[in-house]
Amino acid sequence: MAPSLDFSDWWAKETRKGTPVVVTMENPNYSVVEIDGSDAAFRPVDKDRGKNAKQFTWVLLLRAHRAVGCLTWVAGVLWALLGAVKKRLIFQQGVTVESEKSSKGRLLFRLIRGFLVVSLVILAFEVVAHLNGWHFQRPNLHIPQTLEIEGWVHLVYLMWLSFRTDYIAPLIRALSNFCVALFLIQSLDRMILCLGCFWIKYKKIKPRIEGDPYKSEDVEGSSSNYPMVLIQIPMCNEREVYEQSISAVCQIDWPKDHLLIQILDDSDDESIQWLIKGEVSKWSQKGVNIIYRHRLVRTGYKAGNLKSAMSCDYVKGYEFVAIFDADFQPNPDFLKQTVPHFKDNPELGLVQARWAFVNKDENLLTRLQNINLCFHFEVEQQVNGVFLNFFGFNGTAGVWRIKALEDSGGWLERTTVEDMDIAVRAHLNGWKFIFLNDVKVLCEVPESYEAYRKQQHRWHSGPMHLFRLCLPAIVTSKISFWKKANMVLLFFLLRKLILPFYSFTLFCIILPLTMFVPEAELPMWVICYVPVFMSFLNILPAPRSFPFIVPYLLFENTMSVTKFNAMVSGLFQLGSSYEWVVTKKAGRSSESDLIAAAERESKTLNHPQLHRGASESELSELNRLKEQSEPPPPPKKTNKIYKKELALAFLLLTASVRSLLSAQGVHFYFLLFQGVSFLLVGLDLIGEQMS
């Protein structure tokens, strides 16, 4: 509950009976003791009794010291926050204000700003009512006689109470009941997924392969049984990560005459192109079958790049294709852990591996992302893979049967979620999927909020755009009714549309409004119990992240603004629904990679003439070309200010003040912490900080 100022318990002690006997010692260092009756001396004595003035003074000093310490800590936090605000807003050091590209984005910001203005006006009105002694609880709406009305302000206040009870409260209750129903349905879906995951763990259900099915006893023809595998690495201006991804893929354990690596470079920076060409040339001279490919007409983003690569004549004889994004580093045994699942399983179209993150402990933002993605892989994809043989392709760290891609129409450029698009079309054509939770591929998660925000916008606008395009094909497909229902109701509507809708509407709009309309107040279990329980379920796959359960709950509500914005953009094809922004990478490496790099550096210092497997003439030519075309200095990285998040922060903090005045307990704390969370995100104080 909110801080209480009720001191009635202090004065409610029972009156002591009996004849009091007061014994006073001459020595002032001894205490004054009261004895009530014959056995009073043997009863427990209150802690605050039996103390002289000197001891009582020390107790007061200790309590004052503790209070000053708490106030100092709070003041330090506020001072640091004000310092960050000063740096962001006043001096504008490294700050750019987020620009609203779409009319819908501007409309949403204006709507939130309108709610904020109205809330501030109502709060001022309620403060005046509070100072005049009018009640904040559910009022008696009978307007008294004229003599009982204390001026025109009191009359207007009573009219406002009557209006909000008759007209505003029913609308808010209806909308909140609808959102709570959606909330409970989505929570039930999460619980069923978690139960499915527990069942998989209990029964130890997982796809298995027995040894190496392609290994032959004939030494001379030992590689003839291995299928032809194509590996594709699409990239675009990936200066930070191109080297480690190419190096990892080139070290995959697979017969060289049955493996082809395509580096699909869409970079528009010539200096990056030369760097990638040099890396490809180095591995090519080591005997790796690797090809560099650069498109002159770069349309269709990643889907266009993959589609163009699959049209090459030299890939016609390949049976499987493995796809890795530029920041992924597969282990050498990746293909031997994935491709054998296709043997004697002609209906299998996709084998998807799990992601693992080298920078999950870099900052608070990466830790919170790790919680979400661990639940996505270990619960959502594993359960759907085991019980339904269908889930959304993650776009990377997966192996496709090329025949499944061709039967499903190949890569299409119609959305920004080409991975989900091809997975849906393949499922409609009867192909099955397998998810391998034990096979992990190292990669990165965004370290800055700007990169994470853009990534989430694409991940939530693309599915809604795809849903509009695929709905007729789903309805007319030949798959069973239950599979159609699962794809429409669960895969698209519940997990892609309903989740961001109720999260934003219920916790960011309705909850602060109910503070000014207490007749529509949300129950405690909606605000506290169910969200905490669902956050507990979400965090189970990442048990080391349990200390971050409260920041995770607050941050998920904060991200609902971006997800809701993206969902509406994709559903109605507004603004940036078909916009692809390459996620920024930091080029983090695993601990083993760092050790190997240190060893290479020490060897280079001891042997300065070592040129890493490339001829001296090629390296000198490459260095000469680099010097002739020195790349321009990279643009200065800046932190941004996000207006919608800031407006919602002030709306929630305003509602928390109103909740404090009416002593609504948990509502006050939730609104306060949620408002601070929005404030930190709006000022871009979470994630990577630019100097």
Side-chain angles (χ1 to χ4, degrees), residues 390 392-393 412 414-425 428 458-474 487 491-492 496 567 569-573 577-578:
F390 168 71
F393 175 46
L412 299 182
R414 57 182 182 174
T415 69
T416 57
V417 284
E418 74 295 326
D419 45 7
M420 185 181 294
D421 188 1
I422 189 64
V424 170
R425 288 185 280 117
L428 296 179
R458 176 165 56 84
W459 285 4
H460 286 81
S461 65
M464 287 296 95
H465 186 196
L466 177 64
F467 177 66
R468 289 171 52 99
L469 300 174
C470 288
L471 184 59
I474 296 173
M487 184 171 290
F491 184 74
F492 277 112
K496 303 296 188 298
M567 180 268 293
S569 296
L571 188 61
F572 298 102
Q573 295 183 345
S577 62
Y578 190 71

Side-chain angles (χ1 to χ4, degrees), residues 336-354:
K336 291 189 175 181
Q337 289 184 315
T338 54
V339 176
H341 289 279
F342 290 97
K343 189 175 178 61
D344 301 328
N345 195 357
E347 295 181 349
L348 183 61
L350 168 67
V351 175
Q352 174 70 62
R354 180 175 175 171

Side-chain angles (χ1 to χ4, degrees), residues 469-488:
L469 300 174
C470 288
L471 184 59
I474 296 173
V475 174
T476 59
S477 65
K478 297 180 181 180
I479 61 176
S480 65
F481 171 79
W482 296 110
K483 290 185 177 181
K484 292 180 182 179
N486 169 71
M487 184 171 290
V488 174

Side-chain angles (χ1 to χ4, degrees), residues 220-261:
E220 294 181 356
S222 59
S223 64
S224 60
N225 294 330
Y226 285 84
M228 303 290 287
V229 178
L230 173 69
I231 297 180
Q232 296 177 331
I233 307 180
M235 56 180 61
C236 181
N237 297 326
E238 307 282 2
R239 181 189 297 271
E240 295 82 6
V241 294
Y242 76 93
E243 185 176 3
Q244 60 193 31
S245 62
I246 294 176
S247 174
V249 168
C250 289
Q251 298 178 57
I252 286 182
D253 184 13
W254 199 257
K256 294 183 179 180
D257 56 342
H258 286 67
L259 181 67
L260 173 63
I261 301 172

